[in-house]
Amino acid sequence: MILAGDIGGTKVELALYDGPPNKTKPAFAKRYPSRDFSGLEVIVADFLKTHPCGGVEGASFGIAGAVKDGVVHTTNLPWVVTEKKLSDTVGGAPASLLNDLEANAWGIGVLEEDEIETIHPGEGLEGNRALISAGTGLGIAGLYWDEDRGEHLPFASEGGHASFAPQEEIDLELYHHLKDKYKGTVSWERVLCGKALVDIYHFLVARAGKESPRWLEEEMMEGDAAAAVSKAGQQNKDDFCVEALELFTRYYGAQAGNTALNFLALGGLYIGGGIAPKMLDQLRDRTFLDAYLNKGRLRPTVESIPVRVILNPKTALLGAAVHAGRQCRK
């Protein structure tokens, strides 16, 4: 019996697997709102109390943040999580912390064909892979191709926090707007996550000296603000939402191309996270692909790299389970 967790700034999802995650459904699974709890250990303890399993042999948790010596200070939560405390919580079994994108990357290998959408076929050569994922934040991970083992081995990255690089005049205006707002470095995450889409929209409205329509403001306040902007843009209900979505799509394409080059991902670039499956039409559009391919002399290289969208929202959870199973076998 292994315990897997997908830990994000918005939600925590835990699952118990009694067998390989690609062959069996979880025996138990539950989702928790992250901000309702003081730490991950409290959530894990509640989960195991609610779902007694007679003992956990191993546990792995994908979590947003940089893992250093078994400790992570979460990026979007006021938590400090340690492998030691988690091990104690699960009864002394080995417990591993993974960057959330590293966990996502572990899950790619167990996905079915219908859980992946190819938006650029490329050549599909043998080699490294890469993963970029916009959601609550922006995550990036690599998958090293181990020729001797004949498998891809994921590793973590914090590339989502690298500095944003404006290309057009409007990008530079947005850069200064965000720098003033956040009083610091403007990272790629500032223009590529759910909150970033809302920031881009408000920037465009203010730049034009206009105000948001009342109906849109009400939708943004009552529910997911980013989803409201995206929906209004996809349905052409508001010109600024359309423009915000187009800018967001271009930035996604540009950073996807950067990621493909950073890892020389000849084996494929994967796009994960909750946003991508909801904007497949935009990702198939020339705005995304033109930005992805706009790499000057290296255009033929990125053109050869397949681009695939992950449709299964449980991929990070599956990946954590895959990792926990491997650790148990070791």
Side-chain angles (χ1 to χ4, degrees):
M1 187 70 75
I2 56 176
L3 174 62
D6 177 18
I7 320 302
T10 304
K11 53 84 180 173
V12 168
E13 190 157 9
L14 300 178
L16 282 166
Y17 288 89
D18 188 9
N22 58 322
K23 303 295 183 183
T24 60
K25 293 182 179 180
F28 305 105
K30 187 174 181 180
R31 178 178 290 189
Y32 295 82
S34 307
R35 296 188 180 278
D36 288 358
F37 295 86
S38 59
L40 179 56
E41 298 86 359
V42 179
I43 298 175
V44 171
D46 178 83
F47 179 78
L48 293 176
K49 182 179 178 180
T50 308
H51 303 102
C53 60
V56 171
E57 295 177 48
S60 290
F61 305 88
I63 188 165
V67 182
K68 301 177 183 178
D69 294 326
V71 179
V72 59
H73 296 256
T74 53
T75 306
N76 296 308
L77 290 167
W79 294 355
V80 178
V81 186
T82 71
E83 291 179 343
K84 184 179 185 310
K85 287 184 179 179
L86 286 172
S87 176
D88 292 341
T89 305
V90 300
S96 300
L97 287 172
L98 311 173
N99 175 267
D100 56 340
L101 261 289
E102 183 183 359
N104 209 310
W106 278 111
I108 290 174
V110 297
L111 294 177
E112 302 291 342
E113 286 186 12
D114 61 355
E115 295 175 318
I116 298 174
E117 175 84 11
T118 299
I119 60 173
H120 174 69
E123 296 178 21
L125 302 175
E126 194 173 83
N128 298 340
R129 293 174 174 175
L131 172 65
I132 182 171
S133 174
T136 304
L138 177 67
I140 292 173
L143 296 91
Y144 163 69
W145 172 243
D146 189 322
E147 189 171 354
D148 293 334
R149 295 186 182 187
E151 63 178 343
H152 287 94
L153 300 176
F155 59 92
S157 159
E158 286 296 335
H161 296 281
S163 300
F164 170 58
Q167 297 293 309
E168 308 289 344
E169 186 63 35
I170 193 170
D171 304 343
L172 192 58
E173 290 181 44
L174 176 61
Y175 168 85
H176 287 296
H177 170 81
L178 294 174
K179 187 173 183 180
D180 289 342
K181 179 174 181 177
Y182 292 107
K183 311 299 182 186
T185 301
V186 179
S187 67
W188 274 101
E189 184 173 87
R190 293 295 190 196
V191 299
L192 272 179
C193 69
K195 189 175 185 300
L197 180 58
V198 179
D199 281 343
I200 293 170
Y201 168 75
H202 283 138
F203 157 73
L204 293 171
V205 172
R207 178 173 178 263
K210 303 289 186 179
E211 292 185 358
S212 303
R214 183 183 294 273
W215 62 266
L216 181 58
E217 286 293 338
E218 289 176 354
E219 285 189 16
M220 292 170 67
M221 291 179 64
E222 292 172 1
D224 185 331
V229 173
S230 179
K231 181 180 177 181
Q234 290 171 333
Q235 296 179 351
N236 291 308
K237 293 174 65 176
D238 179 90
D239 290 343
F240 293 114
C241 289
V242 172
E243 189 177 357
L245 192 57
E246 185 173 348
L247 274 178
F248 186 91
T249 301
R250 177 161 65 82
Y251 297 151
Y252 216 158
Q255 183 62 346
N258 291 342
T259 302
L261 289 178
N262 286 339
F263 295 102
L264 194 57
L266 299 179
L269 174 77
Y270 290 80
I271 303 177
I275 293 177
K278 298 173 184 176
M279 56 178 293
L280 275 175
D281 287 344
Q282 283 70 38
L283 295 180
R284 295 190 190 103
D285 186 73
R286 291 311 310 178
T287 298
F288 176 88
L289 288 174
D290 285 348
Y292 168 75
L293 294 170
N294 186 25
K295 300 303 174 190
R297 291 171 294 172
L298 272 294
R299 180 187 177 101
T301 300
V302 290
E303 200 162 21
S304 73
I305 295 173
V307 182
R308 305 178 177 111
V309 178
I310 296 172
L311 304 179
N312 187 340
K314 307 288 187 183
T315 304
L317 188 67
L318 287 170
V322 169
H323 183 270
R326 289 174 66 101
Q327 295 303 102
C328 286
R329 288 193 294 276
K330 285 183 180 180

